[in-house]
Amino acid sequence: MNCQVMNTSSPSPSSSSSSRNPIPNSPLKLLGRTVCYSLSHKTNRCSGIQIGGCHEIVYLPKNCVVRKYASGWSDAKQPVRYPPRALVASESQGLSSIPIIGKEKIGVLLLNLGGPETLDDVQPFLFNLFADPDIIRLPRLFRFLQKPLAQFISVLRAPKSKEGYASIGGGSPLRKITDAQAEELRKSLWAKNVPAKVYVGMRYWHPFTEEAIEQIKKDGITKLVVLPLYPQFSISTSGSSLRLLESIFREDEYLVNMQHTVIPSWYQREGYIKAMADLIEKELRTFGNPEKVVIFFSAHGVPLAYVEEAGDPYKAEMEECVDLIMEELEKRRITNPYTLAYQSRVGPVEWLKPYTDETIIDLGRKGVKSLLAVPISFVSEHIETLEEIDVEYKELAIKSGIEKWGRVPALGCEQTFISDLADAVIESLPYVGAMAVSNLEARQSLVPLGSVEELLAAYDSQRRELPPPVTVWEWGWTKSAETWNGRAAMLAVLVLLVLEVTTGEGFLHQWGVLPLFH
């Protein structure tokens, strides 16, 4: 039987999406029901409706989004993102939609960045950050310099970073907030008759992911749901944490036999969208003329090459997230102008644009007088919200002519948000150990699920070639003097570090900067 494709998607309010070539119409089979999809030129999304009679197995196009109504399938509401090149599996496997707990010990592992809790923690925290190959990825020839380079950069940046942390109370509140979120999530799960234990694993500071895994083993957890606290997936955030888990799992017999699944992103969930809309609506009321306020979504940036060369879905997911929040606000008759920009760039290479600081200046030039900042990629307060947004960007906005400034708080332990995370965990339980990213047939929920290894293969197949934020090995003239100067400076640093490491002598050793590498 032939499938009739119906493309009913409407243009996205976001202006940043770019058109792509059309994709041949193909069916997608899901639990005995079938949808057909096609790509919208204006929104870069796949849209479909439920139809019958298709029984083919197909590959999904990259960055395809299929959306689901409670009553069927459509092109609006509640989008479900499927990873690129995900293969539909056979019909033989049937899974219950009701979590089966019984004698199983259920665990939930929350993953987050981590942050220094005191000023003395700042430099070692920065070392851990820059020692991560996903933050600074060196070419193979220079990989032995990863730790010396991280030590060098962390020592140089520590004084400036300490000033920032001192301005917000002497340390990051991230651990305290994440611990509180874990406790509230545990309570919500138990209230929903799912007696699970919730653990926190930080990437760059205590409690480290390794510490959380050890506790999970001591508690005898048999089924684990891995939940990164990043609404949108990025190679440099969720991807980095999952790669660490991948290496830990591979080397531990207990973990190899422990069933698990991962919820890599959840920006599209209804509870999260409503919670964000609630906070925005509440803050808009604090302005004298709420309808004239520009809603300014500020997301953490990533190097442009992550998206264009490595296939990071972060930009597409971020734009989709903003669209969904604005759609929810429009239902409430809130139709304010809005924009999306990216903050926190480092190094001389190009990052996702538009940049937050440049956009604020541009809005001031255009006569915008009221601005409401929304930290869209953060669910906890930390240095980038409390210092970068609340201090640096606020001062820049006032200097640029913006008279009224507001900022939406991070979600924290907001009850709608926590309850929705609990629902996401519950929805994933039937698939723990039974479904991976390649098995779309079992996926009825709104959460894209999968094993650590297969998610990494789907989301970041080119991770070994991933360029770092600070490029140190590319040569040739560029249009940017800043880029060229940055490369020359980094080359000089590398030469000095080679001499330091190979000879064991030099000014860095004399200053005690490299005591660990004698």
Side-chain angles (χ1 to χ4, degrees):
M1 183 179 296
N2 295 328
C3 289
Q4 302 257 333
V5 173
M6 299 183 64
N7 186 350
T8 56
S9 61
S10 57
S12 165
S14 171
S15 59
S16 54
S17 297
S18 57
S19 28
R20 297 181 180 179
N21 295 327
I23 294 176
N25 301 329
S26 304
L28 165 65
K29 183 172 59 178
L30 198 75
L31 278 180
R33 294 174 298 183
T34 305
V35 297
C36 281
Y37 63 84
S38 63
L39 184 65
S40 166
H41 293 255
K42 294 183 179 179
T43 63
N44 297 333
R45 305 174 200 158
C46 297
S47 59
I49 62 168
Q50 180 180 354
I51 60 175
C54 297
H55 300 288
E56 299 175 21
I57 294 178
V58 298
Y59 283 100
L60 285 175
K62 186 176 183 180
N63 290 333
C64 175
V65 176
V66 179
R67 305 179 176 205
K68 176 183 177 184
Y69 279 128
S71 58
W73 293 85
S74 183
D75 70 317
K77 297 183 180 179
Q78 302 181 353
V80 186
R81 178 169 299 282
Y82 296 107
R85 307 297 291 174
L87 178 63
V88 180
S90 67
E91 287 186 276
S92 59
Q93 183 180 14
L95 292 174
S96 170
S97 61
I98 302 175
I100 300 175
I101 299 175
K103 297 180 180 179
E104 301 287 356
K105 292 187 177 180
I106 308 299
V108 181
L109 175 59
L110 302 181
L111 300 177
N112 212 332
L113 182 77
E117 298 175 68
T118 69
L119 295 183
D120 290 337
D121 297 336
V122 172
Q123 190 272 322
F125 165 78
L126 292 176
F127 171 81
N128 292 335
L129 180 70
F130 293 118
D132 182 1
D134 288 321
I135 302 299
I136 297 181
R137 188 177 293 269
L138 298 175
R140 184 166 302 183
L141 181 63
F142 295 107
R143 284 179 187 170
F144 71 97
L145 292 174
Q146 185 80 49
K147 289 185 177 180
L149 183 59
Q151 184 78 0
F152 181 74
I153 296 176
S154 65
V155 169
L156 288 181
R157 294 192 61 167
K160 178 67 174 177
S161 295
K162 285 183 178 180
E163 292 179 9
Y165 283 107
S167 70
I168 63 171
S172 173
L174 188 60
R175 177 175 182 174
K176 184 179 296 183
I177 295 173
T178 307
D179 285 344
Q181 289 171 327
E183 177 60 17
E184 291 302 312
L185 177 59
R186 186 195 65 79
K187 291 179 181 177
S188 184
L189 286 168
W190 279 68
K192 298 173 187 287
N193 298 316
V194 178
K197 290 190 174 183
V198 183
Y199 306 85
V200 172
M202 300 293 190
R203 184 65 181 89
Y204 304 117
W205 202 244
H206 300 284
F208 291 112
T209 303
E210 294 89 340
E211 298 174 49
I213 290 295
E214 284 303 311
Q215 190 60 51
I216 286 170
K217 291 167 60 178
K218 289 179 181 177
D219 292 342
I221 297 299
T222 58
K223 289 183 178 290
L224 182 68
V225 177
V226 181
L227 178 58
L229 285 178
Y230 308 103
Q232 307 83 13
F233 182 93
S234 175
I235 292 168
S236 59
T237 53
S238 304
S240 178
S241 293
L242 292 179
R243 264 190 290 284
L244 176 61
L245 276 181
E246 181 184 34
S247 64
I248 296 173
F249 275 39
R250 188 186 297 118
E251 299 171 0
D252 192 293
E253 184 177 354
Y254 179 93
L255 298 175
V256 168
N257 296 319
M258 181 183 66
Q259 296 178 332
H260 76 276
T261 194
V262 183
I263 304 174
S265 65
W266 36 269
Y267 67 93
Q268 75 283 53
R269 291 191 59 84
E270 184 177 358
Y272 166 73
I273 295 299
K274 287 186 175 180
M276 289 298 299
D278 289 343
L279 292 178
I280 293 172
E281 184 176 15
K282 180 180 178 180
E283 290 300 318
L284 283 174
R285 296 196 195 105
T286 65
F287 289 82
N289 296 300
E291 68 282 354
K292 294 183 179 180
V293 178
V294 173
I295 301 174
F296 189 93
F297 293 96
S298 185
H300 193 288
V302 299
L304 184 63
Y306 282 28
V307 174
E308 293 188 345
E309 298 177 21
D312 195 333
Y314 179 73
K315 180 175 183 289
E317 293 194 358
M318 186 60 69
E319 292 172 356
E320 177 76 8
C321 179
V322 170
D323 289 351
L324 291 169
I325 293 173
M326 292 310 301
E327 287 172 10
E328 175 64 27
L329 289 173
E330 287 173 9
K331 294 176 187 176
R332 308 179 187 191
R333 298 184 180 180
I334 297 173
T335 57
N336 292 57
Y338 70 98
T339 189
L340 168 65
Y342 298 90
Q343 67 181 83
S344 308
R345 69 185 188 275
V346 292
V349 300
E350 187 173 3
W351 285 51
L352 284 181
K353 290 183 177 180
Y355 299 140
T356 293
D357 51 358
E358 294 179 357
T359 303
I360 290 175
I361 294 172
D362 185 58
L363 291 173
R365 290 172 180 167
K366 292 179 178 178
V368 171
K369 298 301 180 184
S370 299
L371 199 64
L372 177 60
V374 183
I376 189 61
S377 52
F378 314 111
V379 297
S380 305
E381 302 291 358
H382 62 303
I383 189 72
E384 288 170 341
T385 60
L386 299 175
E387 201 275 334
E388 191 169 7
I389 294 179
D390 287 353
V391 178
E392 295 179 21
Y393 291 146
K394 180 179 180 180
E395 291 178 357
L396 179 61
I398 294 173
K399 290 179 181 179
S400 301
I402 295 170
E403 299 173 355
K404 297 180 180 179
W405 168 274
R407 203 261 286 180
V408 171
L411 284 166
C413 293
E414 201 278 332
Q415 199 54 47
T416 302
F417 163 60
I418 295 295
S419 179
D420 190 63
L421 280 187
D423 290 340
V425 170
I426 293 170
E427 289 173 25
S428 73
L429 289 178
Y431 312 129
V432 174
M435 194 202 77
V437 72
S438 60
N439 187 352
L440 294 183
E441 178 185 300
R443 187 177 302 158
Q444 289 193 77
S445 68
L446 300 182
V447 247
L449 306 169
S451 70
V452 171
E453 295 83 357
E454 291 184 335
L455 280 169
L456 289 175
Y459 279 113
D460 187 11
S461 60
Q462 301 299 319
R463 60 186 181 273
R464 292 182 181 176
E465 287 74 38
L466 192 65
V470 180
T471 307
V472 297
W473 68 91
E474 292 184 4
W475 296 87
W477 296 102
T478 69
K479 297 180 181 179
S480 169
E482 179 184 3
T483 299
W484 176 253
N485 292 337
R487 290 173 181 169
M490 288 305 300
L491 179 61
V493 169
L494 281 174
V495 171
L496 289 174
L497 286 173
V498 169
L499 293 175
E500 292 274 351
V501 173
T502 56
T503 65
E505 299 178 356
F507 69 94
L508 293 181
H509 283 81
Q510 293 175 0
W511 291 353
V513 174
L514 296 177
L516 301 178
F517 304 102
H518 282 293

